[in-house]
Amino acid sequence: MRALLQRVTEAQVAVDGVVIGRCGSGLLILVCAMQGDTGAEADKLAARIAKLRIFPDDAGKMNRSVRDIGGAALVVSQFTLAADTSRGNRPGFSAAATPDEGRALYERFAQALVGEGVPVETGRFGADMQVALVNDGPVTIWIES
């Protein structure tokens, strides 16, 4: 699985102009299941992200996790993280998991993050979503299982 983490002071996702998920201080996580990914990889990725020390401590050093700060996560599915731009001008997405597999792994990832003690809200899998955020830092990190 692939994820793009953005440390945020706030983030929200809307579908058809209606906000369906939001978080305050914490993480916006754009996540993509790749072909061959398993539930175990979704669990492992969630555990890594919950423990990742990318929030400042009292000295201003990145030494605290989203759990440590009592933060939350907004998890949004984004198959375009599987983009292959190595040929031509149009990206290919054949490395992404099938929609059924992708949905199952996306949902498992979000539940695994909850199991790690991180409050989670989500977008809507497969929907045309509008995501708004205030990136804190800015801090943006790419991570794979």
Side-chain angles (χ1 to χ4, degrees):
M1 293 188 77
R2 291 182 178 170
L4 184 70
L5 314 178
Q6 296 188 33
R7 191 176 77 185
V8 298
T9 56
E10 62 182 314
Q12 69 178 33
V13 60
V15 175
D16 296 327
V18 177
V19 174
I20 62 168
R22 63 171 32 113
C23 75
S25 183
L27 295 171
L28 169 63
I29 305 172
L30 305 174
V31 65
C32 176
M34 306 294 289
Q35 284 189 19
D37 283 344
T38 65
E41 287 172 296
D43 296 345
K44 179 181 171 186
L45 184 63
R48 284 182 65 198
I49 290 171
K51 298 171 192 160
L52 193 64
R53 298 182 314 172
I54 60 172
F55 291 87
D57 61 16
D58 293 337
K61 295 185 180 192
M62 282 199 259
N63 203 24
R64 299 176 77 198
S65 70
V66 67
R67 287 190 312 198
D68 294 336
I69 67 156
L74 177 59
V75 178
V76 176
S77 62
Q78 188 164 4
F79 80 94
T80 60
L81 291 177
D84 176 2
T85 59
S86 64
R87 295 184 319 237
N89 295 319
R90 184 175 180 202
F93 302 103
S94 60
T98 66
D100 288 343
E101 292 170 332
R103 178 188 306 271
L105 289 168
Y106 164 71
E107 291 172 355
R108 179 157 176 171
F109 170 80
Q111 285 306 308
L113 203 53
V114 169
E116 291 290 332
V118 179
V120 171
E121 291 200 15
T122 62
R124 183 175 302 146
F125 187 89
D128 181 15
M129 297 174 278
Q130 295 74 50
V131 179
L133 69 138
V134 177
N135 194 316
D136 183 22
V139 174
T140 303
I141 295 176
W142 175 270
I143 189 169
E144 292 190 65
S145 61

